[in-house]
Amino acid sequence: MSHIYEIVVFTAGSEAYAKEVMKVLDPSNTFVRKIVSNESCFLSKEGYMVKDLRIFADRFAENILIGDNSIESFACQLCNGIPIQTYTGDEDDLELEYLSQYLIGLSSEPHIVEANAKSLWQFVKLEEIQSETALLHPQQLFSSSVLSIIYFAQKI
């Protein structure tokens, strides 16, 4: 995937935690360009850790996609978001394969965020998501995920 996108891991966890996980996922530091941790998140009034893509001031938002198991984490930029299932340790988990196929398909689009929004959100009203997610308890967000997010940035 790193030959198509710049990959940045953006986690609601600590930087030390992210580095330990990356020793397993990318031990040679070949694929992931950068790690961004909880110091770059903000806590919402409802108790959710939110990842605001505006922290990437050197990138245009229309070139950034964010995959996460928690819709609340990309609440500031819902159209940039790709909701994914929480990893639970199941060896038959194919979520990252599905995500990879989806991202490869998006890479041929001239406007990836617009294509993402049309594809994923065509049957959902964003206002409904925002009101429904406010009902979730914060502990449901991070209970079993390995990394909170993999962030796919500007196309190379």
Side-chain angles (χ1 to χ4, degrees):
M1 194 60 55
S2 63
H3 65 284
I4 301 172
Y5 294 95
E6 176 184 359
I7 300 174
V8 176
V9 171
F10 193 170
T11 180
S14 70
E15 184 175 354
Y17 164 76
K19 286 181 178 180
E20 287 301 312
V21 173
M22 292 313 299
K23 287 179 185 177
V24 175
L25 296 178
D26 188 14
S28 62
N29 295 318
T30 306
F31 304 110
V32 176
R33 181 168 299 210
K34 183 178 179 180
I35 297 173
V36 181
S37 64
N38 58 0
E39 292 95 23
S40 296
C41 298
F42 71 88
L43 190 63
S44 73
K45 289 187 268 184
E46 294 81 17
Y48 300 113
M49 293 296 284
V50 178
K51 301 162 188 166
D52 188 346
L53 300 179
R54 291 177 290 188
I55 67 164
F56 301 102
D58 60 339
R59 299 286 189 266
F60 295 107
E62 64 267 14
N63 293 325
I64 300 174
L65 297 171
I66 179 171
D68 203 297
N69 68 325
S70 169
I71 291 173
E72 293 84 3
S73 69
F74 52 84
C76 292
Q77 294 92 11
L78 286 173
C79 290
N80 298 69
I82 304 170
I84 60 173
Q85 296 293 314
T86 300
Y87 178 72
T88 60
D90 182 0
E91 291 181 14
D92 296 326
D93 185 326
L94 296 174
E95 192 66 19
L96 287 181
E97 179 61 31
Y98 299 147
L99 179 60
S100 294
Q101 292 171 15
Y102 181 75
L103 288 167
I104 290 168
L106 280 180
S107 69
S108 64
E109 295 288 338
H111 306 288
I112 59 174
V113 170
E114 185 178 309
N116 179 62
K118 284 180 183 174
S119 177
L120 291 177
W121 305 109
Q122 63 183 328
F123 301 112
V124 180
K125 293 181 181 174
L126 297 182
E127 303 83 36
E128 290 176 12
I129 291 174
Q130 290 170 335
S131 64
E132 287 176 20
T133 56
L135 302 175
L136 295 175
H137 188 275
Q139 291 302 316
Q140 293 173 306
L141 298 177
F142 309 109
S143 59
S144 59
S145 61
V146 173
L147 273 182
S148 300
I149 183 169
I150 298 177
Y151 151 92
F152 299 88
Q154 186 167 343
K155 292 192 285 187
I156 296 175

